[in-house]
Amino acid sequence: MNGFKMKVASVAVLGLATTLTLSGCGTSGKSSGANNASESGQENITFSWWTSPQRTAETKKAIALFEKKYPNIHVTMEYTGWSGYWSKLATESAGGSEPDVMQMDASRLAEYITKGQLADLSSNQTIDTSSIPKNILQLGDMNGKLYAIPAGVNATTWIYNPAILKQAGIQFDPSKNYTWDDFAKICEEIHQKLPNVYGVDDEIDQGAVLAYYAQTRGEHMYTPDGKLAISKQTLTDWFTYWLDLQNKGGCPPAQVNASYDHSNTQESPFIKGETAFQYMFIGEELEYQQDLGKPIEHALFPDWADSDKPYTVHPAMYWAISSHTKYPDAAAKLVNFLENDPQVSKIFLNERGVTVNQDNLKADAKVGDAMLKEQDSVMSQVEKVASPSYLDPPAAGQIGDLLTQIAQQVTFKKLTPSQAADQFYTQATNMLAQG
């Protein structure tokens, strides 16, 4: 999910307080399972991902199918919420004991590549990439080598609750190319008409939305060689935009924004009916609609049709293999299965982003519901107005954390937008210089 931090399951995901470990085939633990496997000739691999309840259930079904097809391969499943996932993976990888197969995010991919922790898949004969468009496959490429296979693609959009807009008497046309100022006025009007409702969740700390905002001004977050490209003025204007929106009731006050876990769907103001809009990566909104209990709709971000082409096709997440795995063939078989098996694709549908295997994409469309068809349609619309994308630099994850810290100080008015822009620019530049 791209940007600095995924709010939901990446862009980001329904948190479990602690890492959960599931073992299939009757194996009760990772260590004892590995010893037993060595004696029996069975290959044991570990597979980890960040998760939501829906993703967990779907992935368990997929792994059951895999172990049925490959009875000599045992998969130990490890999963947790977004933040816990990266903390655990950093600890494991520091000792060279990262999972054999892992879910990877664009904001972290270059970091793990440069540390030598991901296997080069360029010449891997087990993973079939023939049904993945070349421009999509290249999203996992660095310096001419393929280190990760995109599991799906997505893009950032607004999801919105049409019932709130109708109640407020506001006409909103999702096909219109609104400006950022237009959108702010709509959000402020919602709060004026419905005092207990805010227009949009506060997205001031969301790197994916900031990166898009920069591109509407003809800028990028980073240069292709990994330097900071966004200007201080754009940063200042970004912080000013959300602070003004907060002051006018267009988004919740700082105390509300800081009081809930952004990775927990149940705590979202959008689910509680307290906001009309929220940013979302395509493919992650089904659970929001289920929890809300009402239909939701999509709209592209402001200025989406401008000549600067602010949209990019974003890798929702990747499959990657540890460079330290003892079972590279078994790991590759799992990646190939998750990426290409038609049954697995029908289990996942677009939950890990819009399917990149073109054969499965067509097959899934025939059995998918209205939400899947809308997701495919929105992604198709984005692709028509998208510009090329490239990997975030290794320090992107740290910079995402920095944005969160500084943005919160803006919302609590401990820093002015100008001061926040200066601090962010200076610290982010230093992080990038250190690699």
Side-chain angles (χ1 to χ4, degrees), residues 89-100 116-117 322-326:
L89 188 59
T91 301
E92 292 174 330
S93 60
S97 60
E98 63 271 3
D100 299 277
Q117 291 159 336
S322 167
S323 60
H324 302 111
T325 181
K326 295 180 180 179

Side-chain angles (χ1 to χ4, degrees), residues 409-429:
Q409 293 183 69
V410 175
T411 61
F412 280 98
K413 301 180 181 177
K414 294 181 179 178
L415 289 175
T416 67
S418 179
Q419 290 170 336
D422 286 340
Q423 284 196 23
F424 180 88
Y425 196 92
T426 299
Q427 294 181 49
T429 300

Side-chain angles (χ1 to χ4, degrees), residues 125-406:
Q125 299 299 307
T126 302
I127 303 172
D128 181 7
T129 60
S130 61
S131 295
I132 305 174
K134 289 184 178 180
N135 66 313
I136 300 300
L137 191 61
Q138 288 174 350
L139 295 172
D141 183 286
M142 185 174 179
N143 298 327
K145 294 182 179 181
L146 183 67
Y147 290 96
I149 310 295
V153 290
N154 59 16
T156 47
T157 70
W158 298 127
I159 56 170
Y160 67 95
N161 184 340
I164 289 179
L165 296 178
K166 183 178 180 180
Q167 186 180 358
I170 293 173
Q171 298 294 321
F172 179 76
D173 181 359
S175 67
K176 185 177 178 180
N177 187 33
Y178 292 100
T179 66
W180 283 98
D181 287 342
D182 292 334
F183 182 70
K185 290 176 182 177
I186 290 171
C187 292
E188 291 161 14
E189 186 178 356
I190 289 170
H191 186 62
Q192 291 168 4
K193 299 286 185 63
L194 304 172
N196 293 324
V197 178
Y198 302 95
V200 64
D201 196 11
D202 193 339
E203 313 293 5
I204 189 172
D205 62 345
Q206 294 302 315
V209 191
L210 171 57
Y212 176 92
Y213 179 81
Q215 289 189 212
T216 62
R217 294 171 157 234
E219 299 178 9
H220 291 271
M221 279 302 303
Y222 308 107
T223 63
D225 60 350
K227 295 181 175 62
L228 199 64
I230 190 171
S231 68
K232 285 186 182 180
Q233 186 59 57
T234 293
L235 286 166
T236 300
D237 292 345
W238 169 258
F239 292 131
T240 300
Y241 182 88
W242 290 100
L243 187 60
D244 285 348
L245 205 56
Q246 175 184 299
N247 290 337
K248 296 175 182 177
C251 69
Q255 292 82 358
V256 172
N257 188 51
S259 66
Y260 74 96
D261 178 0
H262 286 252
S263 66
N264 188 341
T265 306
Q266 300 299 324
E267 294 185 15
S268 166
F270 184 88
I271 296 303
K272 294 178 179 179
E274 297 170 358
T275 57
F277 289 86
Q278 181 176 315
Y279 114 82
M280 188 69 56
F281 281 96
I282 297 170
E284 297 170 347
E285 62 280 81
L286 179 59
E287 197 152 2
Y288 272 66
Q289 180 166 274
Q290 292 172 342
D291 290 342
L292 182 65
K294 298 177 182 178
I296 62 175
E297 296 184 14
H298 296 80
L300 298 189
F301 281 170
D303 296 332
W304 63 267
D306 286 10
S307 59
D308 287 326
K309 289 191 173 183
Y311 264 103
T312 58
V313 176
H314 180 78
M317 57 195 72
Y318 303 89
W319 307 123
I321 296 176
S322 167
S323 60
H324 302 111
T325 181
K326 295 180 180 179
Y327 302 108
D329 185 59
K333 285 177 180 176
L334 177 57
V335 169
N336 184 66
F337 188 79
L338 294 172
E339 184 74 13
N340 295 314
D341 186 85
Q343 286 181 278
V344 171
S345 187
K346 285 184 172 59
I347 292 171
F348 290 167
L349 293 176
N350 286 348
E351 203 279 332
R352 279 183 161 93
V354 175
T355 306
V356 298
N357 180 307
Q358 297 301 292
D359 295 334
N360 289 341
L361 180 68
K362 293 174 184 176
D364 294 348
K366 296 178 181 179
V367 299
D369 58 11
M371 174 62 78
L372 181 133
K373 290 177 172 61
E374 183 178 351
Q375 290 167 342
D376 289 351
S377 176
V378 173
M379 195 67 224
S380 178
Q381 184 182 6
V382 168
E383 288 173 348
K384 293 176 182 177
V385 297
S387 57
S389 62
Y390 41 84
L391 282 183
D392 288 343
Q398 299 175 52
I399 292 173
D401 294 337
L402 173 66
L403 177 63
T404 299
Q405 297 163 11
I406 289 179

